[in-house]
Amino acid sequence: MGKFTTYETAWCPGCGNFAILNSLKTALEELDKDPKEVLMVAGIGQAAKTPQYISANSFCGLHGRALPAAVAAKIANEKLTVIVDSGDGDSYGEGGNHFIHNIRRNVNITHFVHDNQIYGLTKGQASPTSKEGHVTEVQTDGSMNTPLNPVLMAIAAGAGFVARGFSGDAKQLVTLMKEAISYPGYAFVDILQPCISFNKINTFAYYKSKVAPLGEEYDPSNKAAAIMTAMEGEERIPTGIIYREDKLDFHRKHNLLKDGKTLIEQERNTKVIEALINRFV
Amino acid sequence: MYNLLLGGAAGQGIDTTVAILEKLLKHSGYYIYTTRDFMSRVRGGHNFSMIRFGTEKINSHSDRIDGIIALNDETIHLHKDKLTEKGFILCDSSLEYSDDRIIKLDMDKKAKELGNLRASGSIAIGAILKLFGEPFTYVEEVMPRVIKKDFLEVNLKAIQIGYDSVEPVFEHLEGPFKDYMLISGSKAVGLGAVAGGLKFYSAYPMSPSTAVMEYLAYIGNVSGVLVEQAEDEIAAINMALGASYAGARAMTGTSGGGFCLKVEALGFSGIAEIPLVVIDVQRPGPATGLPTRTEQSDLKFVISAAQGEFPRMVIALRNHEDSFYQTIRALNLAEKYQIPIILLSDQYLGDTTACVKPYNLEDITLTEPAKEAEGEYLRYRITENGISPRLIPGLTEHLVTADSDEHDERGWITESAEVRNNMMDKRMRKLEGLTLELQEPEFIGEEDCKVLLLGWGSTYGPISEAVSRLNKSGKGSYGALVYGDIYPLPKQNLEKYSKGRTLINVEQNATGQLASLIREQTGISCDRSILKYDGRQISGEEIESQVLEGGLD
């Protein structure tokens, strides 16, 4: 048994979340991470329960608000390995604004989105990534909205690490997770996952027939090609690291943090405060 | 005591002129109290500041004006009625207005000759100093400290020109306040936060709270406080919670409308027991309301904001001392009880600059989270005083949880009725300790008064001025209780001073929120209300006349 134990879950038997959780544990163990240095952050939803089921520090916050809490925790203490592990409703719906802006902020955290294209916890309404025409008990005539393409959006917004995985391809997923966690900046992985209870369209068989891992010849540093790749999805759904670019993260740019001393290690200096007081005299 | 009004359009440099003038007058020994009244626009409109200065402590602005410095016609028309008989109106020669009290100077023309049109403000400063009989000597001492090197020479020349253009009208008064600080309420909050060990401040810009963020950002590199401008109000408070959980003392700030958006996360702080201080620099509402003006109408909202029940504390800042020391206290109490604490300021206090005794850091100690836990670690351990052992993730061998769901002692989701009860009871028990820490409202005036005024927050200044004027007037005896700690409501002083007295609540809102809170919590009713909600701050003189008009004595 590894360092990261799993606890009893409240997920449906056969849910794609199990495979993602297992891949995450494997990735963390293979990276030789210590549970006490890992902080798992989530919002609300079925996927957002993940931090409860793994032995690491956990911050289970509000719906859609995992990212702001996670980036600030990382800003406070760079030594923590901060991973947001949450769903498509949480990350793209309620938390859409934070998704865009934290790409811009580029704090060194990892963001895994369990993307099952449906709202699971609230029992089956359309999510921001649901296909057009997807009929649910709320979208009774089928979803009329254009689905978001989170991978394309992340590249367009300027993310330095953008990948897509599939819960049914554990070997690739572990590799993607390890790469993402090791990437020095905001790393985003959209993970396709069937919801066996509420999504009868994007089933395991559906994904299995469409998912196409990118080959070795694919160059993730070519942004134009990455955008074209991200736009695919009808015939085949490419998985793997779709875009990767080196860029300075928040800590390397910030005056208070760039020398490596964490924010919580900065000491309150009475002399400085006295000097600040004196400026007003 | 003197009162000067500087008015003009936005963009004419009123703020800069006022900032220089008030420093010069303080250096001369005066106590300064400067209020700012401005419109929600970048250029044009009518903005003004009032500098009140004297040789004793000043708590509020005055409606009686000794001198108007008018940068446009409108300023004269809007304010001349409040000018005293001996008062003056100083303006540029180009203004077409005649009055016995007018002093016209060629400010713009001479500033142009000096090669810098903006120096006309300094010509006015020079004239003011002379009119009030100030010596010229200290101008050379102060100016290099308040003005950039490149502009120093031209401004010194301009002040000299103004100084030489007029003759003294008023007498210089000898005051002992040269070594006092001159600081705005919002900067005092920022400075208090730094002294209180703040590490992280996140906010979304919103008037009038932005002044706190700007000041913290301005000193960020020296103070070691990281200021992050969030993408929205919700991000701002959730960031503060993430930083606080990870061990950085954190705070977020906003004004009423922004607080509305933060409400869910306020409750999150309550159930997850993450220390947090939120400052609400109030402005009139609802919705966008009057963005640059003042009101005290968020009290009832912030004491009940967020669904469900959890312990919290609300502290209303009364003045520039509170703004510093109570911010430190709030950060400490938030840490000690692991609760959200809301500081209520408002535009009037936030933007007003006043003299205060230099802040003293000697007695300040900071409450820190535990370093390590003994035995099995339970983040939400059920304890007698309701406070559980908070450790910082990564700095301990133990794993640290935080959960917005109801949870068990480990921090794991639960729906157990028994655990729910135990957790609710545990959290609510914190109030027992917190109640013992409450500071009673300050009593001002005559112990055996017949009329007791009740107020909270920034009306402290106007109310204390009113009480002092009323007692001097010989028309009865007056006292006041002004609340700082307001929720939970301290009750001892109220019970002591309210018996057999006429009670009048003085508030900057339309419904009398303090009176309502007092009635709800103690059964004590006020006999009368003096309420103002036009966005302008009530003055001591206004309170005085309304008390007397009411005929209760």
Side-chain angles (χ1 to χ4, degrees):
Chain A
M1 200 171 86
K3 284 189 277 189
F4 290 87
T5 47
T6 314
Y7 304 103
E8 192 193 335
T9 74
W11 288 326
C12 307
C15 177
N17 284 330
F18 289 104
I20 300 174
L21 175 61
N22 283 335
S23 297
L24 176 67
K25 276 172 52 190
T26 309
L28 288 169
E29 272 158 17
E30 288 184 12
L31 288 170
D32 203 24
K33 293 283 179 187
D34 189 323
K36 71 171 204 264
E37 285 161 15
V38 176
L39 170 58
M40 298 296 301
V41 185
I44 298 297
Q46 289 293 4
K49 292 176 179 170
T50 307
Q52 296 261 331
Y53 305 144
I54 184 168
S55 59
N57 294 294
S58 65
F59 186 103
C60 300
L62 295 172
H63 192 27
R65 315 304 169 200
L67 279 173
V71 297
K74 182 72 174 183
I75 287 170
N77 184 3
E78 196 183 356
K79 290 173 185 165
L80 292 170
T81 297
V82 179
I83 298 169
V84 171
D85 203 343
S86 213
D88 46 338
D90 199 54
S91 295
Y92 311 142
E94 188 107 19
N97 198 28
H98 310 306
F99 178 52
I100 299 166
H101 291 283
N102 282 301
I103 290 172
R104 297 177 51 230
R105 201 170 263 124
N106 197 28
V107 176
N108 181 11
I109 65 163
T110 310
H111 187 185
F112 297 138
V113 181
H114 302 212
D115 187 356
N116 59 11
Q117 302 174 255
I118 201 81
Y119 281 1
L121 188 67
T122 50
K123 304 193 174 174
Q125 302 78 27
S127 99
T129 52
S130 294
K131 287 195 101 149
E132 218 167 319
H134 191 143
V135 176
T136 77
E137 293 199 11
V138 174
Q139 287 73 29
T140 51
D141 295 329
S143 173
M144 293 189 291
N145 300 339
T146 310
L148 278 186
N149 180 337
V151 169
L152 182 62
M153 230 170 99
I155 299 170
F161 185 102
V162 182
R164 184 188 286 128
F166 169 44
S167 66
D169 185 349
K171 191 163 169 259
Q172 184 205 40
L173 187 57
V174 168
T175 309
L176 291 178
M177 284 177 156
K178 283 163 69 179
E179 291 278 339
I181 292 167
S182 307
Y183 176 78
Y186 172 78
F188 166 67
V189 187
D190 185 62
I191 305 166
L192 300 172
Q193 163 218 10
C195 171
I196 54 157
S197 297
F198 299 110
N199 190 336
K200 307 296 183 198
I201 296 173
N202 311 103
T203 59
F204 189 79
Y206 168 90
Y207 286 127
K208 208 65 186 156
S209 70
K210 297 232 173 192
V211 157
L214 293 164
E216 298 231 336
E217 74 292 346
Y218 181 78
D219 173 14
S221 70
N222 182 337
K223 198 163 192 170
I227 286 169
M228 295 309 288
T229 308
M231 284 167 73
E232 291 183 50
E234 281 305 314
E235 295 305 313
R236 64 163 201 159
I237 307 173
T239 57
I241 299 175
I242 296 182
Y243 183 65
R244 187 185 168 124
E245 151 194 9
D246 291 333
K247 54 200 291 186
L248 283 182
D249 73 307
F250 184 93
H251 284 75
R252 301 286 78 73
K253 287 193 277 191
H254 202 288
N255 263 333
L256 288 179
L257 307 172
K258 61 187 171 197
D259 66 358
K261 192 174 181 184
T262 67
L263 191 61
I264 59 171
E265 285 166 350
Q266 315 248 356
E267 277 179 32
R268 171 180 172 274
N269 186 330
T270 313
K271 287 232 156 56
V272 167
I273 301 166
E274 274 166 2
L276 290 171
I277 289 172
N278 277 325
R279 285 191 195 172
F280 291 97
V281 175
Chain B
M1 213 178 290
Y2 301 121
N3 198 25
L4 282 176
L5 185 143
L6 269 89
Q12 283 193 300
I14 297 168
D15 257 5
T16 317
T17 308
V18 167
I20 295 171
L21 187 56
E22 62 179 3
K23 281 188 189 76
L24 287 165
L25 290 169
K26 186 194 73 107
H27 193 81
S28 170
Y30 285 114
Y31 194 100
I32 311 290
Y33 197 90
T34 308
T35 46
R36 288 169 168 81
D37 189 299
F38 49 92
M39 299 182 72
S40 184
R41 54 190 292 176
V42 178
R43 299 225 174 258
H46 175 65
N47 290 0
F48 67 92
S49 273
M50 291 204 285
I51 307 181
R52 197 177 183 197
F53 57 104
T55 55
E56 55 196 277
K57 198 171 178 223
I58 300 168
N59 285 317
S60 73
H61 65 287
S62 169
D63 295 328
R64 200 184 53 97
I65 302 166
D66 299 295
I68 294 173
I69 300 108
L71 303 182
N72 58 11
D73 290 316
E74 200 182 7
T75 302
I76 302 174
H77 294 298
L78 284 169
H79 301 286
K80 64 175 165 32
D81 292 346
K82 287 180 177 171
L83 190 66
T84 57
E85 270 181 40
K86 280 181 75 181
F88 65 86
I89 300 168
L90 184 73
C91 63
D92 190 73
S93 308
S94 59
L95 290 198
E96 288 171 17
Y97 181 78
S98 59
D99 188 309
D100 294 347
R101 298 168 293 184
I102 209 145
I103 302 168
K104 288 189 177 180
L105 294 183
D106 273 339
M107 294 191 280
D108 291 350
K109 197 177 138 205
K110 285 186 172 150
K112 240 181 233 168
E113 283 168 19
L114 286 172
N116 188 343
L117 197 60
R118 297 184 80 106
S120 61
S122 291
I123 297 177
I125 289 172
I128 299 293
L129 293 176
K130 184 72 160 292
L131 286 168
F132 285 90
E134 299 304 307
F136 192 82
T137 44
Y138 60 83
V139 170
E140 276 157 355
E141 288 170 46
V142 178
M143 287 303 283
R145 282 165 43 195
V146 298
I147 205 147
K148 280 188 187 134
K149 227 177 169 181
D150 296 349
F151 303 106
L152 184 59
E153 206 189 317
V154 66
N155 280 288
L156 282 174
K157 273 187 195 158
I159 293 177
Q160 186 77 58
I161 290 171
Y163 199 83
D164 295 339
S165 317
V166 293
E167 288 307 317
V169 174
F170 301 90
E171 188 189 353
H172 165 75
L173 308 172
E174 211 51 61
F177 299 104
K178 185 171 180 268
D179 297 326
Y180 271 49
M181 300 171 71
L182 184 61
I183 191 168
S184 75
S186 285
K187 285 181 182 172
V189 166
L191 202 50
V194 175
L198 190 79
K199 288 277 174 293
F200 185 84
Y201 187 89
S202 48
Y204 185 82
M206 183 166 184
S207 294
S209 67
T210 315
V212 178
M213 172 163 64
E214 279 175 346
Y215 177 64
L216 283 168
Y218 177 66
I219 60 170
N221 286 341
V222 290
S223 67
V225 175
L226 193 145
V227 176
E228 185 61 13
Q229 180 178 316
E231 57 271 27
D232 57 33
E233 297 282 0
I234 297 172
I237 186 166
N238 279 282
M239 282 182 141
L241 288 169
S244 178
Y245 162 83
R249 198 165 260 210
M251 190 166 156
T252 181
T254 188
S255 296
F259 198 97
C260 296
L261 289 163
K262 294 180 190 294
V263 165
E264 188 191 20
L266 187 81
F268 173 33
S269 159
I271 193 169
E273 306 187 50
I274 302 171
L276 177 72
V277 175
V278 186
I279 179 159
D280 173 6
V281 186
Q282 299 165 95
R283 72 189 212 187
T288 309
L290 290 167
T292 64
R293 306 215 173 264
T294 201
E295 200 165 90
Q296 298 182 298
S297 51
D298 294 349
L299 174 62
K300 290 278 249 182
F301 168 52
V302 301
I303 64 178
S304 57
Q307 76 275 28
E309 297 161 307
F310 56 93
R312 78 183 83 193
M313 182 177 189
V314 179
I315 303 173
L317 304 176
R318 288 171 292 203
N319 52 34
H320 300 71
E321 264 159 17
D322 267 7
S323 297
F324 180 80
Y325 294 109
Q326 293 294 346
T327 301
I328 301 170
R329 178 166 167 256
L331 286 161
N332 272 337
L333 289 175
E335 177 63 53
K336 182 172 175 187
Y337 291 96
Q338 300 170 26
I339 54 168
I341 298 196
I342 299 145
L343 294 173
L344 284 177
S345 179
D346 53 40
Q347 184 272 329
Y348 177 72
L349 173 59
D351 290 339
T352 298
T353 43
C355 281
V356 283
K357 223 183 245 178
Y359 299 130
N360 182 3
L361 298 174
E362 265 171 39
D363 300 329
I364 296 167
T365 50
L366 301 187
T367 312
E368 305 278 354
K371 289 274 184 288
E372 209 39 89
E374 283 171 26
E376 187 199 4
Y377 178 59
L378 294 170
R379 167 66 188 96
Y380 296 104
R381 187 184 284 281
I382 303 288
T383 59
E384 258 181 59
N385 63 7
I387 302 169
S388 304
R390 186 170 99 93
L391 294 178
I392 303 304
L395 302 188
T396 164
E397 290 303 308
H398 300 288
L399 298 178
V400 184
T401 54
D403 207 322
S404 67
D405 266 269
E406 190 55 275
H407 42 260
D408 62 15
E409 287 184 286
R410 296 167 301 179
W412 293 356
I413 293 176
T414 182
E415 292 185 43
S416 151
E418 191 193 348
V419 175
R420 162 70 176 178
N421 277 341
N422 289 341
M423 273 299 153
M424 277 297 284
D425 292 344
K426 182 202 94 73
R427 289 192 293 264
M428 297 311 278
R429 275 201 296 278
K430 295 178 189 180
L431 283 169
E432 292 163 25
L434 193 61
T435 303
L436 299 176
E437 311 233 19
L438 291 180
Q439 295 177 353
E440 290 291 323
E442 187 178 329
F443 179 80
I444 302 159
E446 308 214 346
E447 279 283 327
D448 57 355
C449 61
K450 294 233 170 66
V451 178
L452 184 73
L453 306 184
L454 295 170
W456 59 282
S458 74
T459 48
Y460 173 86
I463 288 174
S464 51
E465 173 150 350
V467 166
S468 143
R469 295 174 71 98
L470 283 161
N471 283 330
K472 273 184 206 155
S473 73
K475 296 173 186 161
S477 63
Y478 299 84
L481 283 178
V482 185
Y483 286 81
D485 284 8
I486 197 162
Y487 191 85
L489 186 77
K491 293 173 187 152
Q492 289 171 14
N493 272 0
L494 181 69
E495 277 154 12
K496 179 179 161 195
Y497 287 102
S498 61
K499 285 196 187 82
R501 286 170 164 117
T502 300
L503 304 184
I504 305 176
N505 59 304
V506 182
E507 300 180 59
Q508 295 267 154
N509 58 54
T511 56
Q513 299 188 11
L514 171 69
S516 156
L517 180 67
I518 287 175
R519 198 163 56 240
E520 177 198 307
Q521 302 249 322
T522 66
I524 297 170
S525 293
C526 289
D527 301 287
R528 246 184 79 202
S529 286
I530 295 174
L531 304 173
K532 182 166 174 167
Y533 40 87
D534 61 3
R536 278 76 178 168
Q537 181 76 15
I538 199 163
S539 67
E541 293 139 352
E542 231 174 318
I543 297 170
E544 179 194 14
S545 70
Q546 288 210 39
V547 167
L548 293 176
E549 272 167 29
L552 282 166
D553 188 18

